């Protein structure tokens, strides 16, 4: 489903600002895997997401999605395989367009040009049914401008749009971090539901360790451009926050610091 093979990325190579963002990343996701990703600031989590989405090209290594080598495929061509939600609720939707127009864009993402645009009665029904899954009554506000929605509503809509066309890979990069606790909980719940219903293969970055433990069937910890810990399906249900901290300390030989990093 997704394979990252020996991915390496260095920014500003050969300058004083040189930064190895990804050392040598190997990761293999089976269909339906839901992997949560934790790691301190600057560990390379977003860079890894950018490699998968095609926003960045690796210096070395390969990205394989659905058995196809997409390493050289530009982001816009890869978007048919990828759904992505960012931290910023403002990032995933177009504020001056209505809810319906935004969903229509997501809907036509992987369709031929001739089938794009236009909201027919049949499509409107599909959009309504999809919006009902959010339990936010947005299905009755199809004509509302997205710029008028709250951050939580907007992030829920972003999540729906990212999952609407059943992407091969769903990328969630701290997508609940900018929301207040109750809204974050709502989006976490929705994420669980949508991913489970559609059995989406998912990577989710979070700084909240409890969330990383509660969601998904696998967990990885990143540090300094490496995956330093992989917790597989069998072990994940038994894992606790003290376990994670102990693992980090054992691997790094230092205490996990209490920056925003891993304590969430
Ligand atoms: N476009 C870029 N140019 C130069 N350096 C970059 C660029 N993007 C990321 N970096 C650097 O690469 C490293 C990894 O960054 P990345 O954004 O992947 O970290 P992260 O794990 O997502 O961190 P955070 O938890 O803070 O979001 C950081 O040191 C960052 O400063
Ligand atoms: Mg990041």
């Amino acid at each position: 489903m997704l394979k990252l093979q020996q991915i390496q990325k260095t920014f500003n190579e050969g300058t004083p600002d040189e930064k190895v963002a990804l050392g040598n990343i190997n990761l293999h996701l089976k269909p339906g895997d839901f992997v949560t990703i934790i790691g301190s600031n600057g560990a390379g989590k977003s860079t890894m997401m950018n490699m998968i989405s095609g926003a960045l090209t690796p210096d070395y290594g390969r990205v394989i999605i659905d058995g196809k080598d997409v390493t050289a495929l530009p982001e816009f061509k890869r978007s048919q395989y990828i759904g992505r939600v960012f931290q910023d609720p403002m990032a995933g939707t177009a504020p001056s367009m209505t809810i319906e127009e935004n969903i229509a864009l997501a809907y036509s993402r992987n369709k031929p040009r001739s089938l794009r645009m236009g909201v027919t009665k049949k499509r409107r029904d599909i959009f309504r049914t999809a919006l009902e899954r959010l339990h936010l009554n947005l299905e009755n506000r199809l004509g509302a401008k997205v710029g008028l929605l709250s951050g939580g509503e907007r992030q829920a809509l972003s999540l729906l749009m990212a999952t609407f066309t059943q992407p091969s890979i769903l990328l969630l990069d701290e997508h609940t971090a900018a929301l207040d606790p109750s809204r974050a909980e709502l989006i976490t719940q929705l994420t669980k539901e949508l991913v489970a219903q559609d059995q989406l293969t998912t990577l989710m970055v979070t700084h909240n360790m409890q969330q990383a433990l509660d969601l998904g069937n696998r967990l990885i910890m990143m540090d300094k451009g490496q995956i330093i810990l992989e917790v597989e399906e069998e072990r994940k249900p038994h894992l606790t926050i003290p376990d994670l901290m102990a693992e980090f300390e054992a691997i790094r030989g230092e205490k996990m610091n209490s920056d925003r990093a891993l304590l969430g």
Side-chain angles (χ1 to χ4, degrees):
M1 180 56 67
L2 172 73
K3 274 189 195 155
L4 301 179
Q5 296 177 335
Q6 299 183 290
I7 298 285
Q8 296 173 26
K9 183 74 185 179
T10 302
F11 290 109
N12 306 315
E13 195 160 5
T15 74
D17 292 335
E18 181 170 303
K19 172 81 205 178
V20 179
L22 296 177
N24 182 9
I25 297 288
N26 292 287
L27 186 67
H28 183 181
L29 267 61
K30 301 186 300 299
D33 268 349
F34 182 172
V35 182
T36 54
I37 305 174
I38 55 173
S40 10
N41 295 120
K45 305 178 299 295
S46 297
T47 305
M48 186 171 84
M49 296 274 190
N50 286 333
M51 294 291 158
I52 299 168
S53 72
L56 288 173
T57 320
D59 300 333
Y60 187 84
R62 300 202 304 163
V63 180
I64 294 163
I65 297 177
D66 291 347
K68 199 173 155 211
D69 188 334
V70 298
T71 317
L73 206 63
E75 186 171 26
F76 73 96
K77 288 201 176 154
R78 243 187 259 190
S79 63
Q80 57 181 309
Y81 305 110
I82 310 274
R84 192 169 189 187
V85 184
F86 295 90
Q87 180 171 350
D88 180 1
M90 306 303 145
T93 47
S96 60
M97 289 165 65
T98 65
I99 292 179
E100 181 170 70
E101 287 164 346
N102 268 278
I103 300 185
L105 274 183
Y107 182 74
S108 51
R109 190 170 50 203
N110 57 1
K111 303 217 170 20
R113 202 171 287 276
S114 57
L115 291 178
R116 289 188 197 168
M117 296 316 288
V119 178
T120 59
K121 159 93 175 64
K122 186 167 156 237
R123 280 195 192 179
R124 187 162 287 149
D125 288 342
I126 294 172
F127 298 170
R128 277 217 176 90
T129 309
L131 283 165
E132 282 169 9
R133 298 171 76 188
L134 303 180
H135 323 296
L136 287 172
N137 196 33
L138 296 182
E139 63 276 14
N140 296 318
R141 299 173 64 190
L142 285 178
K145 290 261 194 297
V146 164
L148 299 176
L149 301 182
S150 73
E153 288 168 339
R154 226 168 135 172
Q155 199 65 332
L157 184 61
S158 300
L159 186 62
L160 182 71
M161 286 166 60
T163 55
F164 200 36
T165 49
Q166 310 239 333
S168 301
I169 312 287
L170 176 63
L171 302 175
L172 307 171
D173 196 347
E174 297 193 58
H175 72 308
T176 63
L179 304 172
D180 66 62
S182 68
R183 291 289 174 183
E185 180 50 35
L186 169 85
I187 299 298
T188 301
Q189 227 23 63
L190 282 174
T191 303
K192 264 193 201 168
E193 281 178 36
L194 295 183
V195 169
Q197 282 166 16
D198 294 343
Q199 308 223 319
L200 296 169
T201 308
T202 303
L203 281 165
M204 183 183 86
V205 174
T206 177
H207 276 281
N208 182 325
M209 281 209 267
Q210 195 57 51
Q211 191 184 37
L213 292 176
D214 291 345
L215 272 69
N217 65 328
R218 295 170 59 188
L219 176 148
I220 62 178
M221 187 190 282
M222 292 182 69
D223 190 49
K224 299 184 173 159
Q226 306 281 353
I227 294 175
I228 57 167
L229 176 71
E230 288 197 60
V231 179
E232 296 305 329
E233 208 159 358
E234 301 73 33
R235 195 176 149 217
K236 174 125 192 309
H238 312 290
L239 201 69
T240 63
I241 291 179
D243 289 340
L244 282 176
M245 302 195 48
E247 291 273 8
F248 181 87
E249 285 165 29
I251 296 161
R252 275 285 290 271
E254 62 184 83
K255 280 219 175 299
M256 187 180 272
N257 60 29
S258 56
D259 63 358
R260 185 173 87 87
L262 291 153
L263 296 172

